[in-house]
Amino acid sequence: MDITGAVALVTGANRGLGRQFAAALLERGAAKVYAAARNPESVDLPGVVPLKLDVTDPESVRAAAAAASDVTLLVNNAGSFTGASLLDGSLEDIRLEMETHYFGTLAVTREFAPTLERNGGGAVLNVLSVLSWFTVPQVAAYSAAKSAAWSLTNGLRQELAPQKTLVTALHVGYMDTDMARHVDGPKEDPAVVAGLALDGVEQGRFEVLADDLSRTVRAGLSGDLTGLYPALVS
């Protein structure tokens, strides 16, 4: 897909990786970039079109699709991170992770799929994570939702292929954003990650592994579980 001249919509575009996606799309010559956020007044990037969108609210999703009927590239980036424990964390927090990453991505994609088809097919880019494939207790609720979103992405890719809509998955580890501010250690530059992901869309790729950590964990899925989880060895 050629991003020059495309009409893109980025969910969660008011900060972090989403804001970097919107900026990169403008730099690459997109004709229009809808910067979607629950609070569109928080969008401060010049040149974009702020759009109200809460991916967990079906009415909000329908209204956004009606307002942005010219979209040819959908970037499902909106996220949440509650840090809830699976055993004793709030079930509301755990449900929020699934509502945002799985049901939210599904709802937005379902609503915009006919739009993409009418406009020639286009592409969907789903922001996933290395935590789609790996987890630890501190991020288990988030990982479960991202894992579900990975399976969702693989299913949508096949269902949208007949209408010539490309579905690309982005996997990446920790980035230098608010969501990972509690993490010590190396973090990827979200501007670089956004660029790599858009490169993948332009190249027609199904999957983009944006860092060494993602590539290492992806390769480790074919081995014994103790390779990824050495603490399981007693």
Side-chain angles (χ1 to χ4, degrees):
M1 177 184 182
D2 188 358
I3 288 176
T4 302
V7 177
L9 184 147
V10 182
T11 67
N14 56 325
R15 60 194 179 108
L17 180 61
R19 191 179 190 280
Q20 295 298 332
F21 268 123
L25 286 160
L26 290 174
E27 291 172 4
R28 291 179 183 228
K32 184 189 296 184
V33 177
Y34 292 100
R38 285 178 296 176
N39 178 11
E41 291 77 18
S42 65
V43 174
D44 62 358
L45 182 65
V48 301
V49 179
L51 181 67
K52 183 177 180 59
L53 174 58
D54 179 349
V55 302
T56 68
D57 179 352
E59 184 176 341
S60 176
V61 173
R62 286 191 293 270
S69 60
D70 49 352
V71 165
T72 60
L73 170 60
L74 171 64
V75 181
N76 284 311
N77 165 79
S80 63
F81 178 73
T82 65
S85 163
L86 292 179
L87 291 181
D88 55 17
S90 162
L91 282 177
E92 288 187 4
D93 285 346
I94 295 171
R95 287 192 180 99
L96 175 62
E97 301 283 15
M98 199 65 71
E99 288 290 343
T100 303
H101 298 287
Y102 179 79
F103 288 108
T105 297
L106 176 60
V108 174
T109 305
R110 282 167 61 111
E111 203 65 45
F112 276 91
T115 298
L116 294 171
E117 184 175 26
R118 286 194 302 271
N119 294 332
V124 176
L125 172 60
N126 286 346
V127 176
L128 302 179
S129 171
V130 68
L131 296 175
S132 306
W133 304 319
F134 174 82
T135 192
V136 292
Q138 302 94 317
V139 297
Y142 177 88
S143 293
K146 283 296 190 182
S147 185
W150 175 41
S151 184
L152 168 69
T153 300
N154 288 333
L156 288 172
R157 182 178 296 119
Q158 296 172 74
E159 291 201 36
L160 290 173
Q163 71 173 50
K164 302 187 184 306
T165 297
L166 170 71
V167 178
T168 300
L170 167 66
H171 292 272
V172 63
Y174 293 116
M175 292 180 288
D176 190 11
T177 64
D178 288 345
M179 188 174 289
R181 62 183 177 273
H182 62 288
V183 175
D184 293 326
K187 301 176 188 179
E188 302 299 321
D189 182 344
V192 172
V193 172
L196 291 171
L198 294 176
D199 286 345
V201 171
E202 290 198 303
Q203 294 161 8
R205 293 168 58 190
F206 296 133
E207 196 170 61
V208 174
L209 309 186
D211 59 355
D212 289 340
L213 179 60
S214 296
R215 288 184 282 272
T216 298
V217 173
R218 182 74 158 85
L221 293 178
S222 60
D224 188 273
L225 274 180
T226 55
L228 291 176
Y229 301 101
L232 295 177
V233 180
S234 58

